[in-house]
Structures are given as C-alpha cells and as structure tokens.
Amino acid sequence: MISKRLFRILTFGLLLIFSGNISAQYIITGRVTDASNGDPVPFANVALKGKNIGTATNFDGVFTLRTKVLSDSLFASFVGYKSRYKVITQSPGTQTINFQLESANRALEEVVVYSGENPAFRIIRGVIANREKNDRKRLTAYEYDSYSKMELDVDNISAKLREKKFMKKIDKAIEKFEKIAGEDGKPVIPTFISESISKFYYRESPQRKKELIEKTNVKGVGVHDGGFISQLVGGNLLANYNFYDNYVPFFGKDFTSPIGDNWKGNYKYFLSDTTEIDGHPCYEVEFDPKRVQDLVFTGKMWIDTTNFALVQIDASVGKGANLNFIEKIKIQQELERTSEGAWLPAKTRFLIDIEQITKNSAGMLLKMYISNRNFVVNQPKPLSFYDLASEIAEDAKEPDPNFWKAARFDSLSKQDLLASSLIDSVRNIPVVKTYVEVAEIVVSGYKRFRNFDIGPYINAIAFNKLEGMRLRLGFRTNPDFDKHWILRGFVGFGTNDLRAKYSGEIDYLFSKKRWTMAGFRHTYDVERIGLTQELIGDNKLFYAFTRWGNFSGAFYRRENEFFFTKEPTKGLSFTVALTHRSFDPLFRFQFRENPELGKDSPVKDNYDETFFTFETRFAKNETFIMNGNDRITLDTKRIPVITFRYQRGFKDVLGGNFDYHKFTLKAYQTFRLGTLGRSAYTLSLGYTPSTLPAPLLFPHLGNETFFYNRNAFNTMKYFEFVSDKYASIQYNHSFEGLVFNRIPAIKKLKWRLVASANVLFGSQRKENVELMQEGKPRPFESRYLDRYGFDSLDPSVPFVEVGYGIDNIFKIFRVQAFHRLTYLDHDKATPFTVKASMHFQF
C-alpha cells in the first residue's frame, strides 16, 4: 500500500512530466528554393505529413512552423513543382529544414461543379468589378524609393561543355556554387551582378515615368562602363508589371492576364484555400492555361476577401508556350495598399530562363529583384521633370561594401555573395573575354576599342556588277573619346569601278536630357534609285543586301549636309537641315531642260539639288535610354508614331538646279487585336506640286531580292512606279499561335501564321511625265546600263498585293508568299513571289 505522501510525490511527478510534454513546442524553420537556380519560392505550402498543420513561405521563400505535435516528415509543395518530403528530428526545440523543389509539368484538373458555377469565377468577377478602385492607374501620380538587384548567369551547362578547357579552369568555383544552391541544385555560373538604389516617379496624365539612379554597384564579364547598363539595372522601367491590364507585355509579346477581361476564355481556375497575407484575409486561387501553347500564365494569386484586390501573385510561363529559346518565365509580385486605396508593387521578382541553343552548349538565366518602399501618391511633378526617363547621378558609382550593407533594403544571401566573388574569377579568364567580345560584335555590329568602335560588320563586304568586290571600313567614337563630340565615317573601294567611297561626320551633343545635337557630314558613295538609306529606314540588313547582285539603277552621289535636331518636350522632336546633293546616274537617264519645246528641248543626264528640310516627329510616351552618346528607344506604348517632312529646293543656290516643294506624312503603329494577335500598319502620304525629274519625286520602294521587307512592295520591281502624289497603307498581322496552336500535329512546331496587305494609290501630273520624255538625241557612254521608264500609276486603280506565310520556322525563319492583284499586264510584272527573312525573336 502506497503512503499518502508517496502518492502525492508520484502524482506531482507525473503532472510535471505531462505538463512538460503539453507545453513543449517544436519550431521548424527553413527556406524553399528553386533547384534549378537557387531562387526562393514565395508562397509555397509547408506542412506536416498526415497532420492538418502547416504554413506558407514569405516572399523570400522563408518559413517558420510552430507546433505542439509532430509527424515523421515535413513536405513542401507549390504549383509547377514536384512536392518534396524530408524527415523531422523528433526532439523539442528549433530545427532547420531547407527544400529545393524541382519543376514539374502540371495540368490543373478540371473542377466538376454539380450545383452552380465554379466558385473561383465569382472572385475573378469581383476583382474586375473593383479594378478601378484598386488599380494604380486611379492615382494621378506616385513615387517611391527602390532597391534593385539583377543577376545574369550561365546555366543548363551540358556535360560536353564542362569538359572544355576554359570550363575546367573555373570548375572549383562552380562546385562551390553548386553547394550553395543545395543538394539538388543545378550548376550556374554568374557573369553579371548589380544592385542599385533609385527613386521612381510616375505620372498618369499625360503618362510619364522616370527613374533616378542614385547609387549603383555593377560587376560583370565584359562590362566596360556603368552608363548604359546602370540604366537597365534600375529595374522599374523594365519590370513594373501591372496584372490589372488585360495584357502583360514584355520582350515584344503580350501575355493575357489572369484577371484581365479575357480571363474566362484563356484560363481554368480553382479556389484552393483561404489564408492571411500581412493581415489581409485572402482567397488563394490557382490558375492554369486552357491551352499551354498560348501566351498565358500558370500559377497562384491571393485576392483580398473584402475589397477583391490583388495582394500577391506567382505567375509562370512554361516551355510549352509559343515562345522561342525560353525554358521558363516567372513573375512574382507582392503589392501594398496605399493611403488612397490603390495598390502598388512592394516587391517583384522576375526570372527568364533561356534554353540551350544546342545540346552541347549552355543556357542563360536572368534574375531581377526589386523592393520598393516610402510610397508617395498624388503629388505629380512638372512635365519637364520626366524629360529623361532614366537619369544617373554623377556620383552614382559606389563599390564600397560598407555602404551597401547599410543601404540595402534586404541583405544579400550566401548565394549572392558567392556569385559576386565568382564573377571576379570568371571575367579574368582570357577565353571568356574572347567569347564576350565576339558576342558583343554580333549584337552591336561593332568591335570596341578604347576610344572608338570599328564597324558595322554587315557593310564590310559586298559583291555587285558595278563595283565588283566592295570593301568598306567604318568607325565611330565612343564616350571614352568625348561625351559631347562624336566622329564617325567610313572608307570604301570597289575592285571594278576603282573608285574610292568615303564619308566623314562630326557631331556635337549639346544635351542628353532634351536631346539636342548639331553636325555636319560629307559623303561620296554609290547609291540606287529608291533604295537609299533615308527611304529604306532602319532596316539595315535589307539595305546591306541591296548592295549585292546586278545593282540596277545605280548612281554616284556627293552630299554635304548641316543638321540640327532637338527634342523640346518629351515625345516631340524637330530636325532642320541644309543639304546639297549631286546625282550622277549609271543608267540611261535624261530629262528635258525646257519641256515646253517638246522633242526639241535640250536634255540633261545629271543634276544637282540644294534643299532645306524641316522634319517633326511625334511619339507619345516614347521612352529612351542612353547608350554612350546614342540613345535607344524602349517603346511608344502602342500609340501611332507620326512623322511630317517638308523639303524646299532652291535653284542657283550652291549650284542647285530646281526650285521645289515636297511634303510627306507617315504614321506607324502596332496594336493588339485581342485574341487574334498583333497588327502593325504604316500609312504614308506624299505630295509635290513641282515639276521635277522622276528620282526627285516619290520612287516607290520595290523589292527584287529574296528577302522580305516590311516597308517595300514585294511584287513591285525597283523604280517600276513613280508618283508626285500618293497615299499608301502597308498592313501586317501576326496571329501568333492562334491557328497553329490548335492543330495537334503542328502546335509543337510553334509556327505562327502571318498575313499582309499593301495598297498604293498614286499618279503623276502631265508636266512631270513630259519632263522625262526624250528630247534631242544624246550619245550615252558605254558605262550606262538599262534605261528606266519610271511609269505612272492610274489614279483610279491602286496597286494591290496580299501576302500570307509562316513565321518562326526553326525559330528564326519567315517564309511569305505574295500575290500581285493589279497591274498584271505591266511590263515584266511579277504576279507571284515568295520572300524569306531571318530574325531572332522570342
């Protein structure tokens, strides 16, 4: 029999034991990352196996799970990844368990609803109904402080590539990086890493944006200076995504938003859970594409249950989408509510994984992280403040690590620190430097030296009937030479005509903020009627190929030009120029000096012209970034770009032979046609009331090459038609994957259907026709080639051609057939032709 005292002692001891077990708490912490690149996986589910106990990772992939009971293992899961289980230590206290998740092909199962509709539909409708009060566009302006981090890596390194000599030199560093990525991580080689502190400003009406880069730290293989790159590393100009828009644009593509107006026709939805995000009770909604080939997302989003605002989103585009060279695209965004009710992006991650071009090469991985804070809303700046979209402070370059430790919004991970040290090792390897230089030449067309660049290489050599082998060497100075003075030019020589060609230009850049430049150029070269660079435009590849072959319609041209250009306000620019040109044709050409005398008129086979040019260009919301002493356009928000030009010719000024007036107006626009794809058109109008030789009128751009040219009439011959007044429209449409994505056997090829139509109305006045008729006979030198009639169009019958074809063949080729529908009885008309082109696109 146990005494009462002993019983009390045993009872007290048992209570202590049980109370200890009841109060014991297990804490599990860790981080969930992507096994392919080591990046965090935000919003992943982490839970005990067999228990209804779990949590979710934050935006940095970190989780903390507190529980009073355990199971044998912990698992992590997320949309688009394979679930992973790990064993738990069965002892009280804190333990750390990290997960590396591998990507998985996932198809969301259809949800069968026996009564009523899918409950997720009500939530999406609520988001759209409340879009106006939650979308940042309701704000008149906003600004914030921003920290951005960007990294560019080489990934998907093939086994054969790793056997290369230069790869073995950095093998030890790669092994270290693999360990940081995790036991299931894949090797990546960082080649560029940057971070920046900036202030971002946005104004809604009229739309303006500006990023002021205050501090940068840029380190990378092949990085010459921080000017151009530092404007990109700010991040907010490139990755300021807004899912409330119907389409989320990047890299020239439009991805349908899961909360846009076209949601129901493109996505499947599943209401998977309700959870709390930073104090906001949220619906957790999964979304999957109805057709994986379409430009749509897969992922999860968290919607506030009270105001239906988007709080967080994790959206991915997989390899199955109709994109080229893309393994994966991922956008993760966390939004914060402002004092006015609208939500702004607080944190954004963007990742694009570019696949291996060949099985024995490597891919590329671009990662960007942006953290924003200190939001200020509805306090717009003056319009002039936004003139320069990206601006870098004079003392922006800051390599001091102590500064960045205090300035970063978020501390660097071990992987970030190792990436920075690895770049120092990689960029000093000679063969790596060589590869980078070759890549730079391919992209820019120039070989860079200390103060100048040599190129472009596409114009370095050509073969044609007139010049034989044409050799050309060009150059331009870069900012290392001078930040205001710019020199450029070329020298060329033909082995047949034995004539030297040359050009020299000197420019002075007064202001980058309000783009202001003046200059003078002198050129002597051989050109072709209607195929000069000012008529062809920016299609440099097509212009280079026009210098090959028979070279019909050629003439020598000597040119002197003074010009001045200025952008007084954002989107509006003016250019004025005074030009003298000579025209010395290499084909049978003549015009009547006194047309009123008819055939008795003396004729002339060359001329000089002196003219003044005024040009204005309007491109609303166009954004530029600086590239040395040049600038590169980013976009015009799909608003028409309008160009007006007036030319005034002066007789007897600097030897000019004609007085004339000439007017042209052009509008170019690209726009989305909903689910049908993307269209682009060029509308052109031209008029001259003056009597002039045909080359000074409007020779319409034909195309006798095998290469497709968007700006040309592809079934028209060179110089076939000339007008003194005309109107034309050139319309091109890409259906993207709308048609071929729905054909089972073809959709894997990722072909894209394209169509086009070109219509031209034009005519010549009687005086201009008679001017080009023969006068008194005149002997022609043997060097002259064929004579061209420069025929007129019937003002009541337009020139019409239509085309159709397939783009994205083997990811780079476009083949398009064209039918000529009118003027089929014209001399040597081309009723049908096939053109091809090659271009790299996503």
Side-chain angles (χ1 to χ4, degrees), residues 208 210 381-391 484 508-518 564-575 622 624 626 629-631:
R208 297 287 189 270
K210 177 187 182 73
K381 305 289 186 185
L383 283 176
S384 59
F385 174 81
Y386 304 90
D387 282 345
L388 198 61
S390 182
E391 191 171 354
H484 295 280
Y508 186 81
L509 181 59
F510 293 92
S511 171
K512 293 181 179 180
K513 187 173 183 179
R514 292 190 175 181
W515 186 257
T516 307
M517 178 184 286
F564 175 80
T565 183
K566 184 177 180 62
E567 188 178 57
T569 185
K570 187 175 177 63
L572 181 65
S573 62
F574 298 96
T575 300
E622 186 170 23
F624 289 96
M626 295 302 302
N629 288 334
D630 291 321
R631 60 179 186 169

Short mmCIF file of all heavy atoms in Angstrom, two decimals, residues 208 210 381-391 484 508-518 564-575 622 624 626 629-631:
data_model
loop_
_atom_site.label_atom_id
_atom_site.label_comp_id
_atom_site.label_asym_id
_atom_site.label_seq_id
_atom_site.Cartn_x
_atom_site.Cartn_y
_atom_site.Cartn_z
N ARG A 208 3.87 59.67 -67.89
CA ARG A 208 5.30 59.92 -67.84
C ARG A 208 5.90 59.05 -66.74
O ARG A 208 5.25 58.78 -65.73
CB ARG A 208 5.61 61.40 -67.53
CG ARG A 208 5.14 62.38 -68.57
CD ARG A 208 6.01 62.33 -69.81
NE ARG A 208 5.70 63.42 -70.72
CZ ARG A 208 4.80 63.35 -71.68
NH1 ARG A 208 4.10 62.24 -71.84
NH2 ARG A 208 4.57 64.39 -72.49
N LYS A 210 9.92 58.12 -64.78
CA LYS A 210 11.32 58.49 -64.66
C LYS A 210 11.94 57.69 -63.52
O LYS A 210 11.32 57.49 -62.47
CB LYS A 210 11.46 59.98 -64.36
CG LYS A 210 12.90 60.47 -64.14
CD LYS A 210 12.89 61.92 -63.68
CE LYS A 210 14.31 62.46 -63.51
NZ LYS A 210 14.96 62.69 -64.80
N LYS A 381 4.93 65.60 -60.47
CA LYS A 381 5.98 66.57 -60.75
C LYS A 381 5.64 67.33 -62.04
O LYS A 381 4.82 66.89 -62.84
CB LYS A 381 7.32 65.86 -60.92
CG LYS A 381 7.71 64.98 -59.75
CD LYS A 381 8.10 65.78 -58.55
CE LYS A 381 8.61 64.87 -57.43
NZ LYS A 381 8.91 65.61 -56.19
N PRO A 382 6.28 68.48 -62.28
CA PRO A 382 6.09 69.18 -63.56
C PRO A 382 6.51 68.28 -64.73
O PRO A 382 7.38 67.41 -64.59
CB PRO A 382 7.02 70.39 -63.44
CG PRO A 382 7.22 70.57 -61.96
CD PRO A 382 7.17 69.21 -61.36
N LEU A 383 5.89 68.47 -65.87
CA LEU A 383 6.15 67.60 -67.03
C LEU A 383 7.62 67.58 -67.40
O LEU A 383 8.17 66.54 -67.79
CB LEU A 383 5.31 68.06 -68.23
CG LEU A 383 3.82 67.67 -68.20
CD1 LEU A 383 3.12 68.28 -69.40
CD2 LEU A 383 3.67 66.17 -68.19
N SER A 384 8.30 68.72 -67.29
CA SER A 384 9.71 68.78 -67.67
C SER A 384 10.58 67.88 -66.80
O SER A 384 11.66 67.46 -67.22
CB SER A 384 10.21 70.23 -67.57
OG SER A 384 10.06 70.72 -66.25
N PHE A 385 10.11 67.54 -65.61
CA PHE A 385 10.88 66.69 -64.72
C PHE A 385 11.08 65.30 -65.32
O PHE A 385 12.08 64.63 -65.06
CB PHE A 385 10.15 66.58 -63.37
CG PHE A 385 10.77 65.61 -62.40
CD1 PHE A 385 11.87 65.99 -61.63
CD2 PHE A 385 10.27 64.33 -62.24
CE1 PHE A 385 12.45 65.10 -60.74
CE2 PHE A 385 10.84 63.44 -61.36
CZ PHE A 385 11.93 63.83 -60.60
N TYR A 386 10.14 64.86 -66.15
CA TYR A 386 10.17 63.49 -66.68
C TYR A 386 10.86 63.40 -68.05
O TYR A 386 10.80 62.36 -68.69
CB TYR A 386 8.74 62.96 -66.82
CG TYR A 386 7.93 62.98 -65.55
CD1 TYR A 386 7.16 64.10 -65.22
CD2 TYR A 386 7.92 61.90 -64.68
CE1 TYR A 386 6.40 64.13 -64.06
CE2 TYR A 386 7.15 61.92 -63.52
CZ TYR A 386 6.40 63.04 -63.22
OH TYR A 386 5.65 63.07 -62.07
N ASP A 387 11.51 64.50 -68.50
CA ASP A 387 12.06 64.51 -69.85
C ASP A 387 13.02 63.36 -70.11
O ASP A 387 13.00 62.74 -71.17
CB ASP A 387 12.76 65.84 -70.13
CG ASP A 387 11.77 66.95 -70.42
OD1 ASP A 387 10.59 66.63 -70.69
OD2 ASP A 387 12.14 68.13 -70.37
N LEU A 388 13.88 63.06 -69.16
CA LEU A 388 14.84 61.97 -69.31
C LEU A 388 14.33 60.80 -68.48
O LEU A 388 14.28 60.87 -67.25
CB LEU A 388 16.23 62.39 -68.86
CG LEU A 388 17.40 61.54 -69.34
CD1 LEU A 388 17.48 61.53 -70.86
CD2 LEU A 388 18.71 62.04 -68.75
N ALA A 389 13.91 59.72 -69.14
CA ALA A 389 13.26 58.61 -68.44
C ALA A 389 14.18 57.93 -67.45
O ALA A 389 13.75 57.48 -66.38
CB ALA A 389 12.74 57.58 -69.45
N SER A 390 15.45 57.84 -67.78
CA SER A 390 16.42 57.23 -66.88
C SER A 390 17.59 58.18 -66.71
O SER A 390 18.19 58.62 -67.69
CB SER A 390 16.91 55.89 -67.43
OG SER A 390 17.81 55.28 -66.54
N GLU A 391 17.89 58.53 -65.48
CA GLU A 391 18.94 59.50 -65.20
C GLU A 391 19.84 58.95 -64.10
O GLU A 391 19.35 58.38 -63.11
CB GLU A 391 18.33 60.82 -64.76
CG GLU A 391 19.32 61.97 -64.70
CD GLU A 391 18.63 63.31 -64.48
OE1 GLU A 391 17.39 63.36 -64.49
OE2 GLU A 391 19.36 64.30 -64.30
N HIS A 484 30.72 64.75 -75.67
CA HIS A 484 29.93 65.68 -76.48
C HIS A 484 30.29 65.61 -77.97
O HIS A 484 29.39 65.60 -78.81
CB HIS A 484 30.11 67.12 -75.98
CG HIS A 484 29.57 67.33 -74.60
ND1 HIS A 484 28.23 67.53 -74.35
CD2 HIS A 484 30.19 67.37 -73.38
CE1 HIS A 484 28.04 67.68 -73.04
NE2 HIS A 484 29.21 67.60 -72.44
N TYR A 508 28.02 67.36 -82.50
CA TYR A 508 28.19 67.85 -81.13
C TYR A 508 26.87 67.64 -80.39
O TYR A 508 25.82 68.12 -80.82
CB TYR A 508 28.57 69.33 -81.09
CG TYR A 508 28.90 69.80 -79.68
CD1 TYR A 508 30.16 69.56 -79.14
CD2 TYR A 508 27.95 70.46 -78.91
CE1 TYR A 508 30.47 69.97 -77.85
CE2 TYR A 508 28.25 70.88 -77.61
CZ TYR A 508 29.52 70.62 -77.09
OH TYR A 508 29.82 71.01 -75.81
N LEU A 509 26.94 66.92 -79.27
CA LEU A 509 25.78 66.62 -78.45
C LEU A 509 25.67 67.68 -77.35
O LEU A 509 26.44 67.66 -76.39
CB LEU A 509 25.89 65.22 -77.85
CG LEU A 509 24.75 64.73 -76.97
CD1 LEU A 509 23.43 64.73 -77.74
CD2 LEU A 509 25.05 63.32 -76.44
N PHE A 510 24.71 68.60 -77.51
CA PHE A 510 24.54 69.68 -76.53
C PHE A 510 23.88 69.19 -75.25
O PHE A 510 24.28 69.58 -74.15
CB PHE A 510 23.67 70.80 -77.13
CG PHE A 510 24.31 71.52 -78.26
CD1 PHE A 510 24.10 71.11 -79.58
CD2 PHE A 510 25.14 72.62 -78.03
CE1 PHE A 510 24.69 71.78 -80.63
CE2 PHE A 510 25.72 73.30 -79.08
CZ PHE A 510 25.51 72.88 -80.39
N SER A 511 22.85 68.35 -75.38
CA SER A 511 22.08 67.93 -74.21
C SER A 511 21.52 66.54 -74.42
O SER A 511 20.96 66.24 -75.48
CB SER A 511 20.93 68.92 -73.95
OG SER A 511 20.05 68.43 -72.96
N LYS A 512 21.66 65.70 -73.40
CA LYS A 512 21.04 64.38 -73.43
C LYS A 512 19.64 64.42 -72.85
O LYS A 512 18.78 63.62 -73.20
CB LYS A 512 21.89 63.37 -72.64
CG LYS A 512 23.24 63.07 -73.26
CD LYS A 512 24.01 62.06 -72.44
CE LYS A 512 25.37 61.76 -73.08
NZ LYS A 512 26.14 60.77 -72.28
N LYS A 513 19.41 65.36 -71.91
CA LYS A 513 18.11 65.43 -71.26
C LYS A 513 17.03 65.83 -72.25
O LYS A 513 15.99 65.19 -72.35
CB LYS A 513 18.17 66.42 -70.09
CG LYS A 513 16.92 66.44 -69.26
CD LYS A 513 17.08 67.31 -68.03
CE LYS A 513 15.82 67.27 -67.16
NZ LYS A 513 15.95 68.08 -65.94
N ARG A 514 17.26 66.95 -72.96
CA ARG A 514 16.39 67.34 -74.06
C ARG A 514 17.20 67.18 -75.32
O ARG A 514 17.87 68.12 -75.74
CB ARG A 514 15.88 68.77 -73.88
CG ARG A 514 14.94 68.90 -72.71
CD ARG A 514 14.25 70.24 -72.67
NE ARG A 514 13.26 70.30 -71.61
CZ ARG A 514 12.50 71.35 -71.37
NH1 ARG A 514 12.62 72.43 -72.12
NH2 ARG A 514 11.61 71.32 -70.39
N TRP A 515 17.17 66.01 -75.87
CA TRP A 515 18.10 65.56 -76.91
C TRP A 515 18.33 66.66 -77.94
O TRP A 515 17.46 67.03 -78.73
CB TRP A 515 17.54 64.31 -77.58
CG TRP A 515 18.46 63.69 -78.55
CD1 TRP A 515 18.40 63.76 -79.90
CD2 TRP A 515 19.60 62.87 -78.25
NE1 TRP A 515 19.43 63.05 -80.48
CE2 TRP A 515 20.18 62.50 -79.49
CE3 TRP A 515 20.18 62.43 -77.07
CZ2 TRP A 515 21.30 61.69 -79.56
CZ3 TRP A 515 21.31 61.63 -77.15
CH2 TRP A 515 21.86 61.27 -78.38
N THR A 516 19.55 67.21 -77.94
CA THR A 516 19.90 68.32 -78.82
C THR A 516 21.26 68.05 -79.43
O THR A 516 22.25 67.85 -78.70
CB THR A 516 19.94 69.65 -78.04
OG1 THR A 516 18.71 69.83 -77.33
CG2 THR A 516 20.15 70.82 -78.98
N MET A 517 21.31 68.03 -80.75
CA MET A 517 22.56 67.70 -81.45
C MET A 517 22.64 68.49 -82.74
O MET A 517 21.64 68.76 -83.40
CB MET A 517 22.62 66.20 -81.74
CG MET A 517 23.87 65.75 -82.50
SD MET A 517 23.83 63.97 -82.91
CE MET A 517 24.15 63.26 -81.31
N ALA A 518 23.86 68.87 -83.12
CA ALA A 518 24.12 69.52 -84.40
C ALA A 518 25.31 68.84 -85.04
O ALA A 518 26.17 68.27 -84.34
CB ALA A 518 24.39 71.01 -84.22
N PHE A 564 20.53 70.10 -87.53
CA PHE A 564 20.31 70.39 -86.11
C PHE A 564 19.03 69.70 -85.69
O PHE A 564 18.01 69.79 -86.37
CB PHE A 564 20.18 71.90 -85.87
CG PHE A 564 19.84 72.27 -84.45
CD1 PHE A 564 20.83 72.30 -83.47
CD2 PHE A 564 18.54 72.57 -84.08
CE1 PHE A 564 20.52 72.63 -82.16
CE2 PHE A 564 18.22 72.91 -82.78
CZ PHE A 564 19.23 72.94 -81.81
N THR A 565 19.08 68.98 -84.56
CA THR A 565 17.90 68.27 -84.06
C THR A 565 17.72 68.56 -82.58
O THR A 565 18.71 68.69 -81.84
CB THR A 565 18.01 66.75 -84.31
OG1 THR A 565 16.81 66.10 -83.88
CG2 THR A 565 19.18 66.15 -83.56
N LYS A 566 16.47 68.66 -82.16
CA LYS A 566 16.16 68.96 -80.76
C LYS A 566 14.82 68.34 -80.38
O LYS A 566 13.90 68.26 -81.20
CB LYS A 566 16.10 70.48 -80.53
CG LYS A 566 15.87 70.88 -79.07
CD LYS A 566 15.90 72.39 -78.89
CE LYS A 566 15.68 72.80 -77.45
NZ LYS A 566 16.73 72.29 -76.55
N GLU A 567 14.75 67.90 -79.12
CA GLU A 567 13.51 67.40 -78.55
C GLU A 567 13.08 68.38 -77.46
O GLU A 567 13.45 68.22 -76.30
CB GLU A 567 13.70 65.99 -77.98
CG GLU A 567 12.42 65.33 -77.53
CD GLU A 567 12.66 63.93 -77.01
OE1 GLU A 567 13.47 63.79 -76.06
OE2 GLU A 567 12.05 62.99 -77.54
N PRO A 568 12.28 69.40 -77.80
CA PRO A 568 11.92 70.42 -76.79
C PRO A 568 11.06 69.89 -75.67
O PRO A 568 11.09 70.39 -74.56
CB PRO A 568 11.18 71.48 -77.61
CG PRO A 568 10.67 70.74 -78.80
CD PRO A 568 11.67 69.67 -79.09
N THR A 569 10.26 68.86 -75.96
CA THR A 569 9.45 68.23 -74.93
C THR A 569 9.37 66.75 -75.23
O THR A 569 9.56 66.32 -76.38
CB THR A 569 8.04 68.85 -74.88
OG1 THR A 569 7.32 68.29 -73.77
CG2 THR A 569 7.26 68.57 -76.15
N LYS A 570 9.11 65.96 -74.22
CA LYS A 570 9.16 64.51 -74.36
C LYS A 570 8.19 64.04 -75.44
O LYS A 570 7.00 64.39 -75.44
CB LYS A 570 8.81 63.84 -73.04
CG LYS A 570 8.99 62.33 -73.03
CD LYS A 570 8.74 61.77 -71.66
CE LYS A 570 8.83 60.26 -71.65
NZ LYS A 570 10.18 59.80 -71.99
N GLY A 571 8.70 63.27 -76.39
CA GLY A 571 7.88 62.69 -77.43
C GLY A 571 7.79 63.53 -78.70
O GLY A 571 7.30 63.04 -79.72
N LEU A 572 8.25 64.78 -78.66
CA LEU A 572 8.17 65.66 -79.82
C LEU A 572 9.56 66.15 -80.18
O LEU A 572 10.25 66.77 -79.36
CB LEU A 572 7.25 66.85 -79.52
CG LEU A 572 7.04 67.85 -80.68
CD1 LEU A 572 6.30 67.18 -81.83
CD2 LEU A 572 6.27 69.07 -80.18
N SER A 573 10.01 65.88 -81.41
CA SER A 573 11.34 66.29 -81.84
C SER A 573 11.25 67.02 -83.16
O SER A 573 10.33 66.82 -83.96
CB SER A 573 12.26 65.07 -81.98
OG SER A 573 11.77 64.17 -82.96
N PHE A 574 12.26 67.88 -83.40
CA PHE A 574 12.35 68.66 -84.62
C PHE A 574 13.76 68.50 -85.19
O PHE A 574 14.74 68.46 -84.46
CB PHE A 574 12.07 70.15 -84.36
CG PHE A 574 10.70 70.43 -83.85
CD1 PHE A 574 10.46 70.57 -82.50
CD2 PHE A 574 9.64 70.57 -84.73
CE1 PHE A 574 9.19 70.84 -82.02
CE2 PHE A 574 8.36 70.84 -84.28
CZ PHE A 574 8.14 70.97 -82.91
N THR A 575 13.82 68.45 -86.52
CA THR A 575 15.11 68.40 -87.20
C THR A 575 15.07 69.36 -88.38
O THR A 575 14.09 69.38 -89.15
CB THR A 575 15.43 66.99 -87.71
OG1 THR A 575 15.48 66.08 -86.62
CG2 THR A 575 16.77 66.96 -88.44
N GLU A 622 7.10 57.84 -75.68
CA GLU A 622 8.27 57.05 -76.05
C GLU A 622 9.34 57.18 -74.97
O GLU A 622 9.59 58.27 -74.45
CB GLU A 622 8.82 57.52 -77.40
CG GLU A 622 9.95 56.64 -77.91
CD GLU A 622 10.33 56.97 -79.33
OE1 GLU A 622 10.06 58.11 -79.77
OE2 GLU A 622 10.86 56.09 -80.02
N PHE A 624 13.35 56.44 -73.87
CA PHE A 624 14.70 56.20 -74.36
C PHE A 624 15.63 55.93 -73.19
O PHE A 624 15.41 56.41 -72.07
CB PHE A 624 15.25 57.43 -75.11
CG PHE A 624 14.61 57.69 -76.43
CD1 PHE A 624 13.57 58.59 -76.54
CD2 PHE A 624 15.05 57.04 -77.57
CE1 PHE A 624 12.97 58.86 -77.75
CE2 PHE A 624 14.46 57.31 -78.80
CZ PHE A 624 13.42 58.22 -78.89
N MET A 626 20.05 55.84 -72.64
CA MET A 626 21.28 56.23 -73.31
C MET A 626 22.20 55.04 -73.52
O MET A 626 22.31 54.16 -72.66
CB MET A 626 22.01 57.28 -72.48
CG MET A 626 21.26 58.60 -72.34
SD MET A 626 20.89 59.36 -73.94
CE MET A 626 22.54 59.53 -74.64
N ASN A 629 26.90 57.82 -76.44
CA ASN A 629 26.43 59.10 -76.99
C ASN A 629 25.24 58.92 -77.91
O ASN A 629 24.85 59.85 -78.62
CB ASN A 629 27.57 59.80 -77.73
CG ASN A 629 28.61 60.35 -76.77
OD1 ASN A 629 28.31 60.65 -75.61
ND2 ASN A 629 29.84 60.48 -77.23
N ASP A 630 24.68 57.72 -77.96
CA ASP A 630 23.46 57.47 -78.72
C ASP A 630 22.35 57.12 -77.72
O ASP A 630 22.59 56.94 -76.53
CB ASP A 630 23.66 56.30 -79.70
CG ASP A 630 24.62 56.67 -80.82
OD1 ASP A 630 24.55 57.82 -81.29
OD2 ASP A 630 25.42 55.81 -81.22
N ARG A 631 21.15 57.02 -78.24
CA ARG A 631 20.06 56.60 -77.38
C ARG A 631 19.23 55.53 -78.07
O ARG A 631 19.15 55.47 -79.30
CB ARG A 631 19.17 57.79 -76.98
CG ARG A 631 18.52 58.54 -78.12
CD ARG A 631 17.67 59.68 -77.59
NE ARG A 631 16.91 60.32 -78.65
CZ ARG A 631 15.93 61.19 -78.44
NH1 ARG A 631 15.62 61.52 -77.19
NH2 ARG A 631 15.28 61.73 -79.43
#
